[in-house]
Amino acid sequence: MTGIFPSIAQAADKFAHRPVVFVHGHGAGPGVWGNLISDAQALGYKSEELLAFDYSKQTPGDTTIEAIAGGLGKYIRDNELASKSPDGTIDIVAHSMGGLVARYYLKHDGGTSTTKHLVTLGTPNHGTLAADAACAVHVKCDVQTQEMTTRSDLLKALSSGSETPGPTAYATFRANFGNEPPLVSSGVGYCDGIVFGGATSALEGAQNFVTGCIAHNDYPSNSWTKEKTLALISDADGVNTPQAAQFACADLQENWGKDKWVGAQTSSCMTVTGTSAQKNAYSELLVRGCGYYWGWVKIWYYAGYKDVTCDVKYEGKGIGDAKFRDASTQSEKFRTMEIRSDSFPVRSGQTVGGSWSFGIHSYQSADYDAHGTATTPSLTVG
């Protein structure tokens, strides 16, 4: 009989769900994760399954990202997270510099063997021009900032070979789509004002997503980003996570009208969520960077600047031409827009997908200037 008790005690230490480790960024602390952790608990995660790694006493400063990553690995091992997980793996969600800490742990400390997903939010995976500028004038250029410059040895090492090593599934979120026009108008600039300089957050081999126009510190509290992050770390069948979820977006495409004086970036996404017994799907048309040029020097005016409005007319069709959103219009004074279809029930094994047709207008009284189609990625429901 005594031989039974160790296995019983060991079973009691197991988590019901795969644990999630949250890693904050430069000059921040674990408190940034309050909103996302609350949303995760609302899905069904237990508090002990949601852990925030705290290195706030080492940032900002001259402790290297390599050293902080060593602390992350020790934290994961000391808490025996892999052995407590129902499938022997963990998920990591990281903000800003925390994504570099997590990537170093995965690449150089064996983290890929036990990390199911890594999701980075606004991480300077290829550096940021803000760090370049700070270090060029030697203002607030600590060691960590220097390691986030675009040509740092650390980033070269992280990108050598594969940028997404091992069996881990990688995903990145960024607010700047990467090829914004030159901006000279007062009040108009990059959305993420800290990490910018092309699609610097994107990783080769990862799913790379563009959020709405949000500030750098708003990723962990932005509703769209939180929802998609929790979908990305969920299992398709919901075996080791509170919800069953799948999420995918097509790459951004450029749409221009009026001889390239008016335009926007667009993409289409498909999301499936629910439990193993009841699942629902919905599609989204994402509009990014809606605006127009003005004047012979071509100054770009985004929607939301002065009286510029983004007007979109659209219609969504699923596979087999079944409409999931009737023809309609939407007008916003924002440079980003998320148009969502109604949810519809789906079953395991079913393939869902479709497309959106649209027209985009943002210039005075002219007709809809940019027209196109955004194809939704097809998902086979788990």
Side-chain angles (χ1 to χ4, degrees):
M1 292 291 291
T2 56
I4 298 176
F5 291 113
S7 63
I8 293 174
Q10 197 171 36
D13 289 337
K14 285 280 189 178
F15 295 139
H17 308 115
R18 189 167 54 245
V20 186
V21 177
F22 298 92
V23 187
H24 65 78
H26 182 261
V32 302
W33 299 112
N35 279 289
L36 187 48
I37 287 176
S38 293
D39 285 9
Q41 289 175 322
L43 282 180
Y45 281 98
K46 306 299 182 184
S47 59
E48 61 268 22
E49 298 165 349
L50 305 168
L51 303 99
F53 173 60
D54 183 5
Y55 65 94
S56 57
K57 292 182 179 180
Q58 297 174 292
T59 183
D62 294 331
T63 303
T64 64
I65 289 174
E66 176 184 357
I68 297 170
L72 173 62
K74 184 176 185 299
Y75 176 82
I76 292 169
R77 289 187 290 270
D78 286 353
N79 284 281
E80 300 178 336
L81 299 184
S83 62
K84 293 177 181 178
S85 171
D87 66 355
T89 65
I90 67 171
D91 293 323
I92 300 178
V93 178
H95 176 234
S96 193
M97 189 184 83
L100 302 180
V101 172
R103 286 182 63 201
Y104 196 98
Y105 160 67
L106 263 64
K107 189 160 191 172
H108 296 290
D109 198 9
T112 56
S113 64
T114 54
T115 304
K116 184 80 169 181
H117 303 94
L118 170 61
V119 180
T120 66
L121 311 176
T123 291
N125 285 313
H126 298 285
T128 171
L129 296 182
D132 288 359
C135 290
V137 297
H138 304 289
V139 175
K140 296 184 178 180
C141 183
D142 55 35
V143 166
Q144 293 161 20
T145 301
Q146 191 281 324
E147 289 184 320
M148 291 185 284
T149 57
T150 54
R151 297 182 180 180
S152 77
D153 291 340
L154 174 87
L155 296 185
K156 290 177 182 177
L158 285 178
S159 295
S160 64
S162 173
E163 293 187 348
T164 52
T168 304
Y170 295 77
T172 75
F173 287 89
R174 67 186 190 274
N176 301 316
F177 51 78
N179 59 343
E180 290 88 347
L183 309 175
V184 296
S185 301
S186 175
V188 182
Y190 292 108
C191 297
D192 183 333
I194 301 297
V195 175
F196 56 86
T200 185
S201 292
L203 288 171
E204 185 176 350
Q207 293 189 77
N208 299 300
F209 304 101
V210 180
T211 72
C213 185
I214 57 176
H216 183 70
N217 290 329
D218 289 345
Y219 289 96
S221 59
N222 176 260
S223 58
W224 190 86
T225 305
K226 289 189 298 177
E227 178 185 54
K228 303 314 181 188
T229 294
L230 293 173
L232 282 166
I233 65 173
S234 295
D235 292 337
D237 54 11
V239 171
N240 299 304
T241 54
Q243 71 167 348
Q246 297 165 266
F247 168 58
C249 287
D251 292 338
L252 287 178
Q253 62 184 28
E254 293 187 4
N255 306 276
W256 294 98
K258 293 184 70 63
D259 299 320
K260 287 198 171 183
W261 286 87
V262 174
Q265 305 278 328
T266 57
S267 179
S268 180
C269 306
M270 180 64 72
T271 304
V272 178
T273 59
T275 64
S276 56
Q278 177 60 54
K279 298 183 181 182
N280 293 285
Y282 61 88
S283 180
E284 292 166 286
L285 172 65
L286 307 182
V287 180
R288 303 291 184 250
C290 185
Y292 67 89
Y293 284 110
W294 179 257
W296 65 272
V297 294
K298 282 196 140 181
I299 300 171
W300 184 262
Y301 289 150
Y302 280 121
Y305 177 67
K306 292 187 176 180
D307 295 323
V308 181
T309 300
C310 184
D311 303 318
V312 180
K313 62 179 180 180
Y314 56 83
E315 183 176 19
K317 292 185 177 181
I319 292 176
D321 288 335
K323 290 184 180 180
F324 50 63
R325 192 68 189 265
D326 290 333
S328 187
T329 61
Q330 185 169 329
S331 299
E332 301 283 356
K333 286 192 174 182
F334 298 108
R335 58 204 263 189
T336 60
M337 196 182 302
E338 289 139 21
I339 300 168
R340 182 178 296 192
S341 74
D342 294 332
S343 294
F344 52 93
V346 293
R347 64 185 182 279
S348 294
Q350 180 180 349
T351 299
V352 293
S355 64
W356 294 79
S357 56
F358 58 83
I360 297 173
H361 164 70
S362 61
Y363 176 72
Q364 296 182 6
S365 59
D367 196 0
Y368 287 89
D369 307 296
H371 301 266
T373 300
T375 301
T376 297
S378 296
L379 294 176
T380 300
V381 181

